[in-house]
Amino acid sequence: MLLPSIQPRISLCSSSESNLHLIFVDSNFTTLQIMSAPALDEEERSIVIVGAGFAGIAIAIKLKGAGFKNFKIIEKADDVGGTWRDNTYPGCTSDISIHYYTLSTDLRSDWNRTCETQPSIQAYIKKLFKKYELESHTCFNSRLLSAKWAPSLQGYEIVIENSKRNHRNTIFANILVSAHGLLHIPKLPAIPGLNDFTGKVMHTAQWDRSVELRQKRVAVIGSGGSGTQVVAKISQLPHTEVVHFIHSPNWILPASIVTIHRLWKWIFGHVPFVMRLYRWTLFWIFEFLYLLIFKHRITRNPLRKLAEYFKTSQSPKEFHSFLVPSYPLGCRRIVFDDGYLASLNQENVSLCNGGEIVSAVPHGLVTKNGNVQHFDVIVCATGFETVQFPYELRGVRSTIQEYYDAKDGPEAYLGTTVPGFPNFYMLNGPNTATGYTSVLFFCETEVNYIMKLIQPVLQNRVSSFEVTQEANDIYNKKLQKMLDGTIFTFCGSWYRVGSNGKNISIFPGSALTFWYWCRNANWDHYKVGGPTSSRKAAEPKLSMMWSKSVTVYVVLGLVVTAWTSWVLHDVASQQ
């Protein structure tokens, strides 16, 4: 029994719709009593979504479009946006054409540039959040600590910690969707003594805007997209000296960044289908780039020479040894130049070998020759942790981190489902990253695939799906075989475990291939739990599909007939 002097704390996201268990805790987070509620009926089936970035919002939009509203979004921060909320460093810009780097449900006609800046993309995400009225579904400042599969309840008991209210609560969900993103846990470089540096050390994903960079000497470590964007931007500040440390250079190609004329904005906004046609044109352009860079060696080598010429022609000769990679084009994420190479011609910018850094001291960095370079600020553009799962997820037999470790790194079936974790789905999971096209296309493809699996659960036809170990193993062996001998094996990168191990990030095929593989759910690849435990219960009813198809064709037939009759009548009247 609860002691009278103790005030129980119940649900942070209090909702009778989503709570199956009420966990009472005291101020020290000690569990005092557990009360179980009856099993949920069809109307009360619940979903928890982890993360309010692009992926979390995309599936929330899809759920609302399907008429399902009993879901909660758990967000660790106090605002939406995910990576576009966190990465506020100077120069942060999309490297994919913005009309393709948007959700297909919500195209936008009034973008100012072909590749947009962080504030514009964040504003777009917040607009989506408001448009679809997702605030009532979202728990901000809430970190998911653990989720445990409850077989008897066919769902997950989820523990959440609120950072502002300083308490924990447990909620229940039939379905758990993890949209926490691949690149969200910043990784600092392993430089001895970095904690002793008396100046400011900050990661690009944790930018401190209160730090004044004018008239400062700034070290930027890392040569990926964020590193080059920061250097290009802060080098324009008056009396700021920038030293860029490059451990291993990335290939750089020219970016197609131009200001969009107001005439095009008007056309996109007022002429039907033009913007969507433009988006599809971009899709096929990127698919063509996949063939040129990643698929065919005969075209890759000439492109490498062009990329080398672009770098060397745009930068000072003394920096060429730092800038030209020794590995094939596309082995790492390609950087698209937004003023970086031009900035290297400025007197206040210099390059150094990042591999020469041996330690940090209170006032700077020490290189192998013993020299100390003094700095006021150290900026780490050193990427993210991609191997560690961000919370404790326990399935039928183990935690997901234990499963990953047993597999020598993260893996999932279609990057979405994992054996031993029923009713658990990931967005932008293992091997769904792309080195050339919009990650949002992959994300929406996964959303559509997930909807095929969760709708039978929401409709109470089955209670759970779990991908079989056999299907998962066959799929991932196929992926790794496709990756063998590709350009991704020629260099170390964040795509791989420990930089040089198993590739856990990249999908080795084209975007079109991934879409084709996800277009339908193969029910034979899943274990089904529920009232019937039958795969047939999960499959769409043919009668419903047939009736919908007939209706569509009848309507289209009537429209075409009416249009043809009107045209013929008009032609006859003119004669």
Side-chain angles (χ1 to χ4, degrees), residues 197-491:
F197 180 68
T198 56
K200 180 67 177 180
V201 178
M202 54 185 175
H203 194 279
T204 50
Q206 297 171 328
W207 194 265
D208 188 346
R209 288 191 169 272
S210 67
V211 177
E212 178 58 66
L213 297 180
R214 290 178 177 86
Q215 299 183 342
K216 299 290 176 62
R217 197 163 193 265
V218 183
V220 179
I221 303 174
S223 58
S226 60
T228 57
Q229 288 175 352
V230 165
V231 170
K233 196 68 174 180
I234 68 174
S235 63
Q236 299 173 16
L237 297 173
H239 310 295
T240 298
E241 187 177 351
V242 182
V243 180
H244 191 193
F245 287 89
I246 299 177
H247 184 273
S248 182
N250 287 59
W251 284 108
I252 299 178
L253 296 177
S256 300
I257 302 178
V258 296
T259 300
I260 301 174
H261 194 276
R262 63 179 182 273
L263 175 61
W264 277 110
K265 294 181 185 180
W266 186 91
I267 292 173
F268 285 151
H270 294 85
V271 180
F273 306 115
V274 171
M275 186 162 54
R276 198 160 290 277
L277 178 62
Y278 177 62
R279 179 184 173 92
W280 273 108
T281 301
L282 291 173
F283 171 83
W284 289 112
I285 288 173
F286 283 112
E287 290 299 275
F288 183 63
L289 286 177
Y290 164 80
L291 295 177
L292 292 179
I293 298 174
F294 299 96
K295 191 69 175 176
H296 299 302
R297 183 177 299 179
I298 193 171
T299 55
R300 191 187 310 144
N301 289 333
L303 284 174
R304 172 177 172 159
K305 291 181 179 179
L306 287 174
E308 184 174 344
Y309 173 76
F310 173 70
K311 267 193 167 187
T312 55
S313 64
Q314 299 290 318
S315 60
K317 187 175 181 180
E318 62 267 28
F319 294 157
H320 290 176
S321 60
F322 295 106
L323 292 173
V324 180
S326 59
Y327 54 82
L329 180 68
C331 186
R332 291 182 181 173
R333 177 77 182 188
I334 296 171
V335 173
F336 291 92
D337 183 39
D338 188 12
Y340 170 70
L341 293 178
S343 73
L344 299 181
N345 294 283
Q346 300 172 193
E347 293 183 358
N348 64 325
V349 180
S350 60
L351 296 186
C352 287
N353 186 348
E356 296 289 319
I357 299 174
V358 294
S359 65
V361 292
H363 300 292
L365 297 171
V366 182
T367 54
K368 284 183 178 180
N369 57 14
N371 291 337
V372 178
Q373 294 201 44
H374 293 272
F375 294 104
D376 301 298
V377 179
I378 297 177
V379 175
C380 301
T382 46
F384 300 85
E385 175 60 58
T386 59
V387 177
Q388 195 72 26
F389 199 77
Y391 56 88
E392 183 183 354
L393 172 64
R394 182 165 294 277
V396 177
R397 293 173 292 275
S398 68
T399 67
I400 196 166
Q401 190 60 49
E402 290 169 344
Y403 180 81
Y404 282 177
D405 293 343
K407 291 291 185 178
D408 297 323
E411 68 174 40
Y413 176 77
L414 292 172
T416 305
T417 57
V418 182
F421 297 86
N423 283 5
F424 169 73
Y425 304 98
M426 282 187 288
L427 291 169
N428 302 131
N431 293 107
T432 59
T434 165
Y436 75 99
T437 192
S438 173
V439 69
L440 293 186
F441 177 84
F442 277 68
C443 174
E444 290 194 279
T445 299
E446 289 178 276
V447 166
N448 292 332
Y449 180 79
I450 290 172
M451 290 297 294
K452 293 178 176 65
L453 294 168
I454 67 176
Q455 281 181 329
V457 177
L458 299 179
Q459 295 164 0
N460 209 29
R461 290 189 276 135
V462 299
S463 61
S464 66
F465 283 107
E466 177 193 344
V467 68
T468 66
Q469 188 66 58
E470 181 184 13
N472 178 80
D473 290 346
I474 292 173
Y475 173 79
N476 280 281
K477 285 178 182 177
K478 181 176 182 178
L479 281 189
Q480 294 304 318
K481 186 176 181 180
M482 290 172 65
L483 284 162
D484 286 344
T486 65
I487 56 174
F488 301 112
T489 62
F490 281 79
C491 64

Side-chain angles (χ1 to χ4, degrees), residues 104 121 130 176 196 269 320 335 385 391 489 525:
S104 62
I121 297 174
K130 183 177 180 180
L176 177 61
D196 299 327
H320 290 176
V335 173
E385 175 60 58
Y391 56 88
T489 62
H525 290 176

Side-chain angles (χ1 to χ4, degrees), residues 515-569:
W515 169 84
Y516 185 77
W517 287 2
C518 293
R519 73 194 189 284
N520 292 311
N522 188 332
W523 307 106
D524 291 334
H525 290 176
Y526 286 90
K527 302 174 186 177
V528 182
T532 62
S533 296
S534 170
R535 293 187 180 91
K536 290 185 178 180
E539 297 175 3
K541 296 181 180 179
L542 292 176
S543 58
M544 293 176 60
M545 295 173 62
W546 175 255
S547 62
K548 288 181 180 180
S549 299
V550 170
T551 302
V552 170
Y553 283 122
V554 168
V555 171
L556 286 175
L558 291 174
V559 170
V560 171
T561 301
W563 172 257
T564 305
S565 300
W566 181 83
V567 171
L568 291 175
H569 179 269

